[in-house]
Amino acid sequence: MSTITKESVLAALGTVNDPDLHRDLVSLGMIEDIVIEGGRVSFTLVLTTSACPLKAEIEGDCRRVVSAIAGVSEVNLHTTSRVRKARDPSADRKALEGVGHIIAVGSGKGGVGKSTVAANLAIALAQTGASVGLLDADIYGPNLPRMLGVQRQPFQKDGKIMPLEAHGVRFMSMGLLVDQGEAVVWRGPMLHGAIKSFLHDVDWAGCDYLIVDLPPGTGDVQLSLIQQTVVTGAVIVTTPSQVAIEDAVKAIAMFDKLHVPVLGVIENMSYFLCPNCHERHEIFAHGTGQERALAMGLPFLGSIPLHPEVRLGGDTGQPVVAALPDSSYAAELRRIAGGLAQRVSIQTLGTVEAAT
């Protein structure tokens, strides 16, 4: 009977590549805790994100190659995840302590549903088991407290502001610090100070992902965020209308000038599916965001339908991904969240061509 060794198991698993990174699991450090007991082999697969949409494919490949080793009668595979930070040593000087990745969600103009998408993306990532923070950086128009159903004020502990929690996501917003309906009338330096405080004075430690919902456009808040810390990448939200697309291109150009990678484009309000006749209506046109993203060599993360429950969820503090997890809208958001997590891993550990 052949002797099974740790080296033979690693050699077998070294033939399995991560489908996105095109590198083998062993060199990526994704295989741990190999235990051999007679013909039984146990090991741990450490994915780069809990939201990995290719989990089943990678697990299947691992089981197949280990089972093929002479003498193996049983394979016990335990899968976990560990979000990895960028390895650039210069990034450590500005990185937020204890935060894996900061993802900016931006748009060229208002009214495209950016905050709604940001909130639902954060919840979708949290539902996979990731630790997620959500920062409402729209100082002038902080809508996320209502969208998440949070109105109470945060408190301090050990010199840090403790973010509130809603739907499994840690959350901070200027809307939690001012009375409802009160206008925030600040110039650039005050905005810079607020963003600095929200980043460094709030306890975000332990977050795998910190989603930052930016105000629309290309202004002071965007510059302040990037000056204050390392941003892994940005997500651009647009609708299919030509006006929204043109402004989205400006937002993409801004992030490019600031050397922040664009992780992908999301087309919101892409179409409306009539609940009565089940006909698809493309109210704002359709596919324009995808066409422009691919033309610019950027990943297209997905199209989100226009859904009446989205407005209701936002008004009542019950985001659709949490309140209606079986809806088509929630399903698409979860798929997009998985794709976003993939892009973060690719940005951190390797590069591939833009998704098609």
Side-chain angles (χ1 to χ4, degrees), residues 96-97 99 131-136 148 150-174 176-177 197-207 209-211:
L96 290 186
E97 185 177 356
V99 175
S131 176
V132 183
L134 177 61
L135 171 57
D136 185 355
L148 294 176
V150 179
Q151 297 298 333
R152 61 192 186 279
Q153 287 197 340
F155 62 93
Q156 286 195 355
K157 181 180 179 182
D158 299 329
K160 284 280 192 178
I161 301 171
M162 305 305 294
L164 302 182
E165 185 167 324
H167 308 290
V169 172
R170 286 191 274 171
F171 169 65
M172 180 56 62
S173 169
M174 179 60 73
L176 301 173
L177 305 176
S197 180
F198 280 160
L199 288 171
H200 298 284
D201 296 338
V202 175
D203 184 9
W204 298 115
C207 283
Y209 305 101
L210 176 59
I211 308 296

Side-chain angles (χ1 to χ4, degrees), residues 119-351:
N120 281 283
L121 273 180
I123 295 169
L125 285 170
Q127 287 175 342
T128 70
S131 176
V132 183
L134 177 61
L135 171 57
D136 185 355
D138 193 345
I139 306 298
Y140 293 138
N143 295 315
L144 283 177
R146 173 172 292 281
M147 290 182 177
L148 294 176
V150 179
Q151 297 298 333
R152 61 192 186 279
Q153 287 197 340
F155 62 93
Q156 286 195 355
K157 181 180 179 182
D158 299 329
K160 284 280 192 178
I161 301 171
M162 305 305 294
L164 302 182
E165 185 167 324
H167 308 290
V169 172
R170 286 191 274 171
F171 169 65
M172 180 56 62
S173 169
M174 179 60 73
L176 301 173
L177 305 176
V178 299
D179 293 334
Q180 191 172 2
E182 181 180 341
V184 177
V185 185
W186 286 356
R187 293 186 182 273
M190 297 180 73
L191 290 174
H192 181 81
I195 296 301
K196 181 179 180 181
S197 180
F198 280 160
L199 288 171
H200 298 284
D201 296 338
V202 175
D203 184 9
W204 298 115
C207 283
D208 296 319
Y209 305 101
L210 176 59
I211 308 296
V212 181
D213 178 33
L214 294 171
T218 56
D220 289 334
V221 170
Q222 286 82 346
L223 291 172
S224 294
L225 173 69
I226 294 160
Q227 288 170 355
Q228 287 294 324
T229 190
V230 177
V231 178
T232 299
V235 175
I236 304 299
V237 180
T238 184
T239 62
S241 74
Q242 194 59 44
V243 172
I245 293 294
E246 289 175 357
D247 285 344
V249 170
K250 296 174 186 175
I252 291 168
M254 175 199 69
F255 284 115
D256 184 54
K257 287 182 179 180
L258 296 172
H259 307 292
V260 174
V262 174
L263 300 170
V265 175
I266 297 173
E267 185 175 272
N268 194 28
M269 308 182 201
S270 186
Y271 58 90
F272 172 67
L273 189 63
C274 176
N276 297 320
C277 67
H278 303 292
E279 246 185 81
R280 178 166 165 156
H281 302 273
E282 296 174 354
I283 298 173
F284 302 109
H286 171 72
T288 318
Q290 180 175 10
E291 291 172 8
R292 184 58 65 94
L294 297 180
M296 297 179 72
L298 298 174
F300 182 71
L301 294 176
S303 302
I304 303 174
L306 185 65
H307 199 295
E309 295 293 343
V310 176
R311 192 274 310 164
L312 180 62
D315 286 349
T316 61
Q318 294 294 323
V320 171
V321 169
L324 296 172
D326 297 327
S327 66
S328 60
Y329 181 90
E332 181 63 10
L333 255 298
R334 285 195 297 271
R335 191 194 65 77
I336 290 173
L340 175 59
Q342 273 183 297
R343 300 310 305 181
V344 170
S345 295
I346 291 168
Q347 185 65 37
T348 304
L349 296 173
T351 57

